Amino acid sequence: MWFQPRLGSEVSHWREVREYRIPCLLPYLSLEVLETDPVRLLSLLYNRTHYIPEQWAPFDSKQLSAAWDMGHTTVDHSAKCILMHGPEYGKVVPWEKDQAHRVDIIGFPRGIMVLEAQSMLLAFLRKTVENLLEGTDPNTAGASEKWTQMAHVGFKQTDSVEFWSPFLNQPFSAPPIFDVDKLVSIARTRFELAEDHLWLLQTDPAYVRQYTRSLSAGDAGKGQGVYSMIAANLVRDTVMWSYWQSILEECENVQATYRKFRDNVHPGEPLPPTFDRALGALEMSMSSVMDDQSRHLTAFVPDRPGFRHAWSSNHSGPGEIRKTRALKMAVEKRYLADRLDWIMLQVLGPPERKGRYDHAMLFALLEDRLAKSPAAERARLDQTLYAKLSDLAAMHELLVAVRLHRPMNADWSPDDLKKTEHRRLWRMGEDAPSGRDKEQKDQNYSLDFIGKRVKAFMEIPPPTGKQDLAWLAQSEKATEALKTLWTSIRAHKDATLRSEGISADDIERTLGSLRADSSPEYIAAVQESRERILSKPEPAAVTPTGVPAQTTWESKHSPEIPNLPIREQPKTKTRPEQPALTQAKEETTDTQSSEAITNTTASPPLRESPSIALTQRTINILSNLFPADKESGAKIIDWNAFVQAMGDAKFVARHSGGSAVTFENQGSSGGKIVFHKPHPVAKISPVMSRCIGRRMSKWFGWSKDTFCLVS
């Protein structure tokens, strides 16, 4: 897709690379990129003419980083600098320390390359437009309403139902203008996603079963080590929740500080010290958290079924396993031999490493590869790994947004920031937030202990058949095993945080998110479901003479969701079922009625949802998020149909990196929510559709009664 990786894989010496100057200056511009999706060319034309070169300068300079660090371009030397803002943009000026540190000016060699790249791109676009308009009447006035709307709302890749991510398609989108409200929005939606994930892991046994099956893909029957691995990832999920909570706190601090001092933030002038410090704290926080997530992925990827063939395991000490590359082929050659493996290798490792490819480019390459690959190749990237990559993509988007702010903030040291910053991330100690090494080395015994609880839970068969006393007993057995599992995780977290010197208040704040299974709302809903089952009358024992006794009653019966009261409505004849909804074929019984007694909400809806008028087809799709019986609960939902249905309900879907897709409510109530796109097959399982419904109920007040037929 992009020229630089291909160039690096085919040309061995840096002197030869220097012959390809234009691809080094414009690494995103190639015939392959523009041929693959014509929308990119249209978007490039619009955004490069709608915004002035000064607005593009920070991004264009960043695009040169890989070629600059590796010496792939010849440079012109001068002691002067280039002015990067204002009406004299591009002027040669003397070097001045403070201006250089704010990036109001940049060194002549780098600055002249930025101007050269912009000049080349605009010349290319002008020639393209001249060729497109050749033979047309210049006196004919015209306008396209569709084009105007597309430019305003956003662009989509060909054959995609979601709008593309500006972050992953930045060269073809609007320039990255600093938007503090957007930073907070990204952090908040990711925090809420992590929070809801923990909530469902504590209160929905079917969700836990599906998640653990995804984690253990390809490892069935490999002993206790698999369950310890699952335990480690459950603990990691609690760490990610803490990270996103702290990131949100840092972003909100930047937002509050910016609103206070925004009238004093101007190009060419020093930043207000308080705002400068807030930006520095967010930048350092994002860099540390991203580094920790990269190290986690470095340990996680070699064990995934789609990539483990390229790695080998070596025992480097008691309880320690070191992963090394089993394939001896040079990394550069892997780009052509195994593109997916090459991308994963580039994503791993320290994010601050000099000469590495930009993460946004790597994620764009990943999406392009998955779109063009056959099903077997796509399946190598499993759902769990894809979701973890989406966290890394969101972190990088926030980090880049801070670093492209102009004027740039000072390069603060951790010791300086700890003197003035007292938010949670800065109270965690000098090693935070990357202090997970101690947890892994000193508390392996705890992970093994949690793994045994995972095994005990997974060995309990889900309840099946009608909801009678036997069904209730089996459901309560699974629920109790899940509660025991989370009791051990809470104990592990408490011990870990205490060993890191975290204050009692911060420990309590963290453990509070891990008590969803003991919240009053959850306990009340479980009790209500239990009483409903106990109050059901026993079937009559008398059987008419000559008629064989019926021995099964509505197998796989799916009860109503306790927290979503469904109004009984008379059945009306409708048109045949839509193709978007297909019968579940491979889901086990626990994906439907099993353990639905625990399908409760830990907190009440944040807002009441007014009735939404929709077509019958859209109602059929969205009603499956709130199953009330076996028939409506046994459907798989096509992802594209779901996105289109959410669009009818005024939710705009936008790809957010990895498997994450952000749905933004365009209605009067507003709000955003992130869902993971199913992978490798874009079908929403019954378990996940029910969990989507629970989240929509929690954040937007949705229920089955929310939808009504449009007049």
Side-chain angles (χ1 to χ4, degrees), residues 642-670:
F642 170 71
V643 172
Q644 292 166 354
M646 292 291 284
D648 293 341
K650 297 184 178 180
F651 278 80
V652 173
R654 190 177 303 278
H655 183 224
S656 303
S659 61
V661 177
T662 300
F663 291 81
E664 183 174 359
N665 185 8
Q666 302 294 303
S668 58
S669 59

PDB file of all heavy atoms in Angstrom, residues 642-670:
ATOM      1  N   PHE A 642     -26.472  -4.243  10.878  1.00  0.00           N
ATOM      2  CA  PHE A 642     -26.549  -3.562  12.173  1.00  0.00           C
ATOM      3  C   PHE A 642     -26.117  -2.103  12.059  1.00  0.00           C
ATOM      4  O   PHE A 642     -26.770  -1.204  12.606  1.00  0.00           O
ATOM      5  CB  PHE A 642     -25.665  -4.300  13.184  1.00  0.00           C
ATOM      6  CG  PHE A 642     -25.461  -3.572  14.485  1.00  0.00           C
ATOM      7  CD1 PHE A 642     -26.489  -3.437  15.393  1.00  0.00           C
ATOM      8  CD2 PHE A 642     -24.226  -3.010  14.789  1.00  0.00           C
ATOM      9  CE1 PHE A 642     -26.300  -2.753  16.594  1.00  0.00           C
ATOM     10  CE2 PHE A 642     -24.028  -2.335  15.977  1.00  0.00           C
ATOM     11  CZ  PHE A 642     -25.073  -2.205  16.880  1.00  0.00           C
ATOM     12  N   VAL A 643     -25.007  -1.847  11.341  1.00  0.00           N
ATOM     13  CA  VAL A 643     -24.537  -0.472  11.164  1.00  0.00           C
ATOM     14  C   VAL A 643     -25.583   0.366  10.434  1.00  0.00           C
ATOM     15  O   VAL A 643     -25.859   1.514  10.806  1.00  0.00           O
ATOM     16  CB  VAL A 643     -23.199  -0.464  10.399  1.00  0.00           C
ATOM     17  CG1 VAL A 643     -22.788   0.971  10.043  1.00  0.00           C
ATOM     18  CG2 VAL A 643     -22.106  -1.122  11.227  1.00  0.00           C
ATOM     19  N   GLN A 644     -26.194  -0.205   9.407  1.00  0.00           N
ATOM     20  CA  GLN A 644     -27.222   0.526   8.665  1.00  0.00           C
ATOM     21  C   GLN A 644     -28.451   0.781   9.532  1.00  0.00           C
ATOM     22  O   GLN A 644     -29.067   1.851   9.460  1.00  0.00           O
ATOM     23  CB  GLN A 644     -27.584  -0.255   7.401  1.00  0.00           C
ATOM     24  CG  GLN A 644     -26.460  -0.293   6.385  1.00  0.00           C
ATOM     25  CD  GLN A 644     -26.669  -1.327   5.296  1.00  0.00           C
ATOM     26  OE1 GLN A 644     -27.615  -2.113   5.341  1.00  0.00           O
ATOM     27  NE2 GLN A 644     -25.779  -1.347   4.313  1.00  0.00           N
ATOM     28  N   ALA A 645     -28.796  -0.201  10.362  1.00  0.00           N
ATOM     29  CA  ALA A 645     -29.941  -0.016  11.262  1.00  0.00           C
ATOM     30  C   ALA A 645     -29.649   1.072  12.294  1.00  0.00           C
ATOM     31  O   ALA A 645     -30.517   1.897  12.606  1.00  0.00           O
ATOM     32  CB  ALA A 645     -30.269  -1.337  11.962  1.00  0.00           C
ATOM     33  N   MET A 646     -28.436   1.080  12.833  1.00  0.00           N
ATOM     34  CA  MET A 646     -28.053   2.141  13.768  1.00  0.00           C
ATOM     35  C   MET A 646     -28.062   3.496  13.064  1.00  0.00           C
ATOM     36  O   MET A 646     -28.397   4.523  13.673  1.00  0.00           O
ATOM     37  CB  MET A 646     -26.685   1.847  14.357  1.00  0.00           C
ATOM     38  CG  MET A 646     -26.635   0.652  15.293  1.00  0.00           C
ATOM     39  SD  MET A 646     -27.509   0.932  16.849  1.00  0.00           S
ATOM     40  CE  MET A 646     -26.324   1.987  17.701  1.00  0.00           C
ATOM     41  N   GLY A 647     -27.703   3.515  11.793  1.00  0.00           N
ATOM     42  CA  GLY A 647     -27.775   4.754  11.020  1.00  0.00           C
ATOM     43  C   GLY A 647     -29.201   5.252  10.904  1.00  0.00           C
ATOM     44  O   GLY A 647     -29.459   6.466  10.998  1.00  0.00           O
ATOM     45  N   ASP A 648     -30.146   4.335  10.715  1.00  0.00           N
ATOM     46  CA  ASP A 648     -31.561   4.724  10.670  1.00  0.00           C
ATOM     47  C   ASP A 648     -32.011   5.308  12.005  1.00  0.00           C
ATOM     48  O   ASP A 648     -32.919   6.140  12.055  1.00  0.00           O
ATOM     49  CB  ASP A 648     -32.432   3.515  10.311  1.00  0.00           C
ATOM     50  CG  ASP A 648     -32.179   3.024   8.886  1.00  0.00           C
ATOM     51  OD1 ASP A 648     -31.631   3.814   8.083  1.00  0.00           O
ATOM     52  OD2 ASP A 648     -32.521   1.865   8.589  1.00  0.00           O
ATOM     53  N   ALA A 649     -31.360   4.850  13.092  1.00  0.00           N
ATOM     54  CA  ALA A 649     -31.677   5.366  14.430  1.00  0.00           C
ATOM     55  C   ALA A 649     -30.822   6.588  14.776  1.00  0.00           C
ATOM     56  O   ALA A 649     -30.728   6.978  15.943  1.00  0.00           O
ATOM     57  CB  ALA A 649     -31.474   4.270  15.471  1.00  0.00           C
ATOM     58  N   LYS A 650     -30.194   7.186  13.753  1.00  0.00           N
ATOM     59  CA  LYS A 650     -29.413   8.425  13.874  1.00  0.00           C
ATOM     60  C   LYS A 650     -28.090   8.238  14.603  1.00  0.00           C
ATOM     61  O   LYS A 650     -27.608   9.136  15.284  1.00  0.00           O
ATOM     62  CB  LYS A 650     -30.233   9.534  14.541  1.00  0.00           C
ATOM     63  CG  LYS A 650     -31.464   9.956  13.753  1.00  0.00           C
ATOM     64  CD  LYS A 650     -32.164  11.127  14.414  1.00  0.00           C
ATOM     65  CE  LYS A 650     -33.370  11.570  13.589  1.00  0.00           C
ATOM     66  NZ  LYS A 650     -34.068  12.721  14.206  1.00  0.00           N
ATOM     67  N   PHE A 651     -27.472   7.069  14.451  1.00  0.00           N
ATOM     68  CA  PHE A 651     -26.133   6.829  14.968  1.00  0.00           C
ATOM     69  C   PHE A 651     -25.177   6.669  13.789  1.00  0.00           C
ATOM     70  O   PHE A 651     -25.311   5.736  13.000  1.00  0.00           O
ATOM     71  CB  PHE A 651     -26.089   5.573  15.841  1.00  0.00           C
ATOM     72  CG  PHE A 651     -26.540   5.788  17.257  1.00  0.00           C
ATOM     73  CD1 PHE A 651     -27.892   5.830  17.571  1.00  0.00           C
ATOM     74  CD2 PHE A 651     -25.618   5.964  18.278  1.00  0.00           C
ATOM     75  CE1 PHE A 651     -28.319   6.035  18.870  1.00  0.00           C
ATOM     76  CE2 PHE A 651     -26.032   6.170  19.588  1.00  0.00           C
ATOM     77  CZ  PHE A 651     -27.385   6.210  19.892  1.00  0.00           C
ATOM     78  N   VAL A 652     -24.215   7.581  13.668  1.00  0.00           N
ATOM     79  CA  VAL A 652     -23.229   7.532  12.597  1.00  0.00           C
ATOM     80  C   VAL A 652     -22.049   6.686  13.052  1.00  0.00           C
ATOM     81  O   VAL A 652     -21.482   6.922  14.126  1.00  0.00           O
ATOM     82  CB  VAL A 652     -22.756   8.949  12.210  1.00  0.00           C
ATOM     83  CG1 VAL A 652     -21.609   8.880  11.211  1.00  0.00           C
ATOM     84  CG2 VAL A 652     -23.913   9.747  11.622  1.00  0.00           C
ATOM     85  N   ALA A 653     -21.672   5.692  12.243  1.00  0.00           N
ATOM     86  CA  ALA A 653     -20.576   4.782  12.584  1.00  0.00           C
ATOM     87  C   ALA A 653     -19.287   5.248  11.933  1.00  0.00           C
ATOM     88  O   ALA A 653     -19.264   5.591  10.747  1.00  0.00           O
ATOM     89  CB  ALA A 653     -20.907   3.363  12.130  1.00  0.00           C
ATOM     90  N   ARG A 654     -18.202   5.249  12.727  1.00  0.00           N
ATOM     91  CA  ARG A 654     -16.899   5.650  12.202  1.00  0.00           C
ATOM     92  C   ARG A 654     -15.829   4.696  12.730  1.00  0.00           C
ATOM     93  O   ARG A 654     -15.746   4.447  13.935  1.00  0.00           O
ATOM     94  CB  ARG A 654     -16.558   7.076  12.635  1.00  0.00           C
ATOM     95  CG  ARG A 654     -15.328   7.658  11.927  1.00  0.00           C
ATOM     96  CD  ARG A 654     -15.095   9.096  12.354  1.00  0.00           C
ATOM     97  NE  ARG A 654     -16.229   9.963  12.122  1.00  0.00           N
ATOM     98  CZ  ARG A 654     -16.524  10.529  10.943  1.00  0.00           C
ATOM     99  NH1 ARG A 654     -15.751  10.296   9.903  1.00  0.00           N
ATOM    100  NH2 ARG A 654     -17.574  11.308  10.823  1.00  0.00           N
ATOM    101  N   HIS A 655     -15.055   4.141  11.805  1.00  0.00           N
ATOM    102  CA  HIS A 655     -13.976   3.235  12.193  1.00  0.00           C
ATOM    103  C   HIS A 655     -12.970   3.982  13.064  1.00  0.00           C
ATOM    104  O   HIS A 655     -12.606   5.117  12.757  1.00  0.00           O
ATOM    105  CB  HIS A 655     -13.293   2.686  10.942  1.00  0.00           C
ATOM    106  CG  HIS A 655     -12.216   1.702  11.223  1.00  0.00           C
ATOM    107  ND1 HIS A 655     -11.000   1.720  10.589  1.00  0.00           N
ATOM    108  CD2 HIS A 655     -12.157   0.671  12.103  1.00  0.00           C
ATOM    109  CE1 HIS A 655     -10.244   0.747  11.048  1.00  0.00           C
ATOM    110  NE2 HIS A 655     -10.919   0.089  11.965  1.00  0.00           N
ATOM    111  N   SER A 656     -12.512   3.332  14.149  1.00  0.00           N
ATOM    112  CA  SER A 656     -11.651   4.022  15.116  1.00  0.00           C
ATOM    113  C   SER A 656     -10.317   3.331  15.335  1.00  0.00           C
ATOM    114  O   SER A 656      -9.643   3.599  16.321  1.00  0.00           O
ATOM    115  CB  SER A 656     -12.391   4.155  16.462  1.00  0.00           C
ATOM    116  OG  SER A 656     -13.613   4.833  16.291  1.00  0.00           O
ATOM    117  N   GLY A 657      -9.931   2.427  14.445  1.00  0.00           N
ATOM    118  CA  GLY A 657      -8.656   1.740  14.606  1.00  0.00           C
ATOM    119  C   GLY A 657      -8.840   0.374  15.227  1.00  0.00           C
ATOM    120  O   GLY A 657      -9.586   0.216  16.194  1.00  0.00           O
ATOM    121  N   GLY A 658      -8.157  -0.648  14.672  1.00  0.00           N
ATOM    122  CA  GLY A 658      -8.370  -2.001  15.151  1.00  0.00           C
ATOM    123  C   GLY A 658      -9.794  -2.430  14.852  1.00  0.00           C
ATOM    124  O   GLY A 658     -10.361  -2.111  13.802  1.00  0.00           O
ATOM    125  N   SER A 659     -10.402  -3.142  15.784  1.00  0.00           N
ATOM    126  CA  SER A 659     -11.777  -3.591  15.584  1.00  0.00           C
ATOM    127  C   SER A 659     -12.806  -2.593  16.107  1.00  0.00           C
ATOM    128  O   SER A 659     -14.010  -2.817  15.972  1.00  0.00           O
ATOM    129  CB  SER A 659     -11.984  -4.934  16.293  1.00  0.00           C
ATOM    130  OG  SER A 659     -11.756  -4.804  17.693  1.00  0.00           O
ATOM    131  N   ALA A 660     -12.356  -1.490  16.704  1.00  0.00           N
ATOM    132  CA  ALA A 660     -13.274  -0.540  17.337  1.00  0.00           C
ATOM    133  C   ALA A 660     -14.001   0.305  16.301  1.00  0.00           C
ATOM    134  O   ALA A 660     -13.399   0.804  15.350  1.00  0.00           O
ATOM    135  CB  ALA A 660     -12.514   0.359  18.307  1.00  0.00           C
ATOM    136  N   VAL A 661     -15.291   0.463  16.504  1.00  0.00           N
ATOM    137  CA  VAL A 661     -16.122   1.341  15.682  1.00  0.00           C
ATOM    138  C   VAL A 661     -16.918   2.235  16.633  1.00  0.00           C
ATOM    139  O   VAL A 661     -17.598   1.740  17.538  1.00  0.00           O
ATOM    140  CB  VAL A 661     -17.083   0.546  14.781  1.00  0.00           C
ATOM    141  CG1 VAL A 661     -17.989   1.491  13.983  1.00  0.00           C
ATOM    142  CG2 VAL A 661     -16.310  -0.366  13.830  1.00  0.00           C
ATOM    143  N   THR A 662     -16.822   3.531  16.436  1.00  0.00           N
ATOM    144  CA  THR A 662     -17.516   4.491  17.296  1.00  0.00           C
ATOM    145  C   THR A 662     -18.838   4.874  16.658  1.00  0.00           C
ATOM    146  O   THR A 662     -18.891   5.253  15.483  1.00  0.00           O
ATOM    147  CB  THR A 662     -16.664   5.753  17.505  1.00  0.00           C
ATOM    148  OG1 THR A 662     -15.424   5.383  18.115  1.00  0.00           O
ATOM    149  CG2 THR A 662     -17.378   6.747  18.401  1.00  0.00           C
ATOM    150  N   PHE A 663     -19.916   4.771  17.432  1.00  0.00           N
ATOM    151  CA  PHE A 663     -21.249   5.171  16.980  1.00  0.00           C
ATOM    152  C   PHE A 663     -21.613   6.474  17.688  1.00  0.00           C
ATOM    153  O   PHE A 663     -21.707   6.518  18.915  1.00  0.00           O
ATOM    154  CB  PHE A 663     -22.281   4.086  17.296  1.00  0.00           C
ATOM    155  CG  PHE A 663     -22.116   2.835  16.475  1.00  0.00           C
ATOM    156  CD1 PHE A 663     -21.175   1.876  16.820  1.00  0.00           C
ATOM    157  CD2 PHE A 663     -22.899   2.619  15.348  1.00  0.00           C
ATOM    158  CE1 PHE A 663     -21.010   0.725  16.067  1.00  0.00           C
ATOM    159  CE2 PHE A 663     -22.753   1.470  14.584  1.00  0.00           C
ATOM    160  CZ  PHE A 663     -21.805   0.520  14.942  1.00  0.00           C
ATOM    161  N   GLU A 664     -21.818   7.518  16.905  1.00  0.00           N
ATOM    162  CA  GLU A 664     -22.126   8.831  17.455  1.00  0.00           C
ATOM    163  C   GLU A 664     -23.594   9.166  17.218  1.00  0.00           C
ATOM    164  O   GLU A 664     -24.071   9.135  16.084  1.00  0.00           O
ATOM    165  CB  GLU A 664     -21.248   9.900  16.833  1.00  0.00           C
ATOM    166  CG  GLU A 664     -21.477  11.295  17.414  1.00  0.00           C
ATOM    167  CD  GLU A 664     -20.495  12.321  16.897  1.00  0.00           C
ATOM    168  OE1 GLU A 664     -19.610  11.950  16.092  1.00  0.00           O
ATOM    169  OE2 GLU A 664     -20.597  13.495  17.298  1.00  0.00           O
ATOM    170  N   ASN A 665     -24.297   9.474  18.294  1.00  0.00           N
ATOM    171  CA  ASN A 665     -25.714   9.798  18.221  1.00  0.00           C
ATOM    172  C   ASN A 665     -25.896  11.200  17.649  1.00  0.00           C
ATOM    173  O   ASN A 665     -25.447  12.182  18.236  1.00  0.00           O
ATOM    174  CB  ASN A 665     -26.329   9.692  19.617  1.00  0.00           C
ATOM    175  CG  ASN A 665     -27.839   9.889  19.614  1.00  0.00           C
ATOM    176  OD1 ASN A 665     -28.456   9.953  18.559  1.00  0.00           O
ATOM    177  ND2 ASN A 665     -28.427   9.977  20.796  1.00  0.00           N
ATOM    178  N   GLN A 666     -26.548  11.286  16.499  1.00  0.00           N
ATOM    179  CA  GLN A 666     -26.804  12.573  15.860  1.00  0.00           C
ATOM    180  C   GLN A 666     -28.105  13.209  16.326  1.00  0.00           C
ATOM    181  O   GLN A 666     -28.468  14.286  15.869  1.00  0.00           O
ATOM    182  CB  GLN A 666     -26.844  12.399  14.338  1.00  0.00           C
ATOM    183  CG  GLN A 666     -25.560  11.819  13.754  1.00  0.00           C
ATOM    184  CD  GLN A 666     -24.385  12.758  13.902  1.00  0.00           C
ATOM    185  OE1 GLN A 666     -24.431  13.891  13.442  1.00  0.00           O
ATOM    186  NE2 GLN A 666     -23.323  12.290  14.539  1.00  0.00           N
ATOM    187  N   GLY A 667     -28.821  12.529  17.229  1.00  0.00           N
ATOM    188  CA  GLY A 667     -30.069  13.059  17.751  1.00  0.00           C
ATOM    189  C   GLY A 667     -29.833  14.138  18.784  1.00  0.00           C
ATOM    190  O   GLY A 667     -28.694  14.514  19.101  1.00  0.00           O
ATOM    191  N   SER A 668     -30.908  14.618  19.357  1.00  0.00           N
ATOM    192  CA  SER A 668     -30.822  15.734  20.301  1.00  0.00           C
ATOM    193  C   SER A 668     -30.098  15.362  21.586  1.00  0.00           C
ATOM    194  O   SER A 668     -29.477  16.211  22.225  1.00  0.00           O
ATOM    195  CB  SER A 668     -32.235  16.238  20.635  1.00  0.00           C
ATOM    196  OG  SER A 668     -33.026  15.183  21.173  1.00  0.00           O
ATOM    197  N   SER A 669     -30.142  14.082  21.976  1.00  0.00           N
ATOM    198  CA  SER A 669     -29.510  13.670  23.234  1.00  0.00           C
ATOM    199  C   SER A 669     -28.000  13.509  23.104  1.00  0.00           C
ATOM    200  O   SER A 669     -27.273  13.560  24.099  1.00  0.00           O
ATOM    201  CB  SER A 669     -30.124  12.354  23.728  1.00  0.00           C
ATOM    202  OG  SER A 669     -29.957  11.333  22.764  1.00  0.00           O
ATOM    203  N   GLY A 670     -27.483  13.300  21.881  1.00  0.00           N
ATOM    204  CA  GLY A 670     -26.045  13.167  21.680  1.00  0.00           C
ATOM    205  C   GLY A 670     -25.482  11.917  22.340  1.00  0.00           C
ATOM    206  O   GLY A 670     -26.198  11.005  22.734  1.00  0.00           O
TER     207      GLY A 670
END
